[in-house]
Amino acid sequence: MNKSEQQNLEQRFKFSIILVSILIPVVVAILFTVKLKDFGIDVEPLSFLPPIYASINGITALLLILGVKAIKNGNQKVHEQLMTSAIVCSIAFLVMYVAYHMTADSTVYGDIDGNKILDETEKINAGFMRLVYLFILLSHIALSIVIIPLVLITYVRALALRFDKHKKIAKITFPLWLYVAITGVVVYLMISPYYAN
């Protein structure tokens, strides 16, 4: 593939990357507010999904680390397979996350009685850890939006064999994506005691 073909490949994906980077957060935000029960669809909450999608975040983190290790060891094919698998895991996470929230009410950190409202006693009991949880959750959400175009651009640059440009953006994409994957697990572990309520 010559330089012109490489640039053409990048350009062909440019609009798609922009579109997907806008559509995914918007669609997820909309679907997050949709509850199937509001449309008369009687479905049990998919309460088995949070530990599964948290585990998928953990697997994503592992794939990312192994992918970087593979490329540092010069194994481009394994690197490509691991990074593609990480993208597939991220998509699977997203689908399960949305499915869960379309069937279940959101869980509130510190809500011991499960009424979705924090009273003063619950706020005091949650204490500083509630602020830690909210910081991790909000940074996780914000960066999960930011990494969509970064992952797509990084991947397309590899497809276009623009490894110089791929490497530059991967140095930004990797730590952010790893943070999102790890904090996805942390958020689950912190909120999971309140799921039963």
Side-chain angles (χ1 to χ4, degrees):
M1 188 181 294
N2 64 39
K3 192 165 185 173
S4 175
E5 290 171 328
Q6 292 170 341
Q7 288 171 338
N8 285 340
L9 184 63
E10 276 191 80
Q11 288 294 31
R12 273 191 293 163
F13 281 102
K14 190 175 184 178
F15 177 75
S16 298
I17 289 170
I18 293 169
L19 186 64
V20 168
S21 298
I22 293 169
L23 278 179
I24 288 177
V26 169
V27 169
V28 169
I30 291 168
L31 290 177
F32 195 82
T33 64
V34 171
K35 300 293 181 226
L36 294 179
K37 65 183 177 186
D38 295 341
F39 295 93
I41 301 170
D42 188 27
V43 72
E44 287 295 313
L46 301 175
S47 55
F48 63 91
L49 285 179
I52 295 171
Y53 62 66
S55 298
I56 287 174
N57 267 325
I59 292 166
T60 301
L62 182 61
L63 290 168
L64 292 172
I65 292 166
L66 292 173
V68 168
K69 186 175 180 186
I71 201 64
K72 285 187 176 182
N73 290 334
N75 198 333
Q76 186 176 336
K77 189 66 178 169
V78 171
H79 171 75
E80 180 184 335
Q81 292 167 341
L82 289 166
M83 298 318 248
T84 301
S85 298
I87 291 171
V88 170
C89 283
S90 292
I91 293 167
F93 160 80
L94 188 60
V95 169
M96 285 187 246
Y97 179 79
V98 169
Y100 170 74
H101 284 284
M102 288 179 74
T103 63
D105 293 326
S106 292
T107 303
V108 179
Y109 186 86
D111 184 21
I112 296 167
D113 60 14
N115 67 355
K116 310 298 178 205
I117 298 168
L118 283 185
D119 61 32
E120 284 307 310
T121 303
E122 289 171 325
K123 282 182 185 174
I124 290 167
N125 285 338
F128 180 70
M129 287 309 294
R130 183 168 180 270
L131 295 177
V132 172
Y133 169 79
L134 290 173
F135 173 80
I136 295 170
L137 175 65
L138 294 174
S139 64
H140 169 82
I141 291 168
L143 289 175
S144 69
I145 293 167
V146 169
I147 64 164
I148 295 169
L150 289 174
V151 167
L152 295 174
I153 292 166
T154 305
Y155 195 74
V156 167
R157 286 184 176 171
L159 288 177
L161 308 178
R162 302 292 301 267
F163 296 119
D164 55 332
K165 293 175 84 178
H166 168 81
K167 188 176 179 181
K168 276 184 183 175
I169 195 165
K171 287 182 179 183
I172 299 166
T173 304
F174 169 71
L176 295 180
W177 194 0
L178 184 62
Y179 177 85
V180 169
I182 291 171
T183 55
V185 177
V186 172
V187 164
Y188 166 74
L189 292 174
M190 291 182 80
I191 197 72
S192 63
Y194 304 103
Y195 275 134
N197 297 321

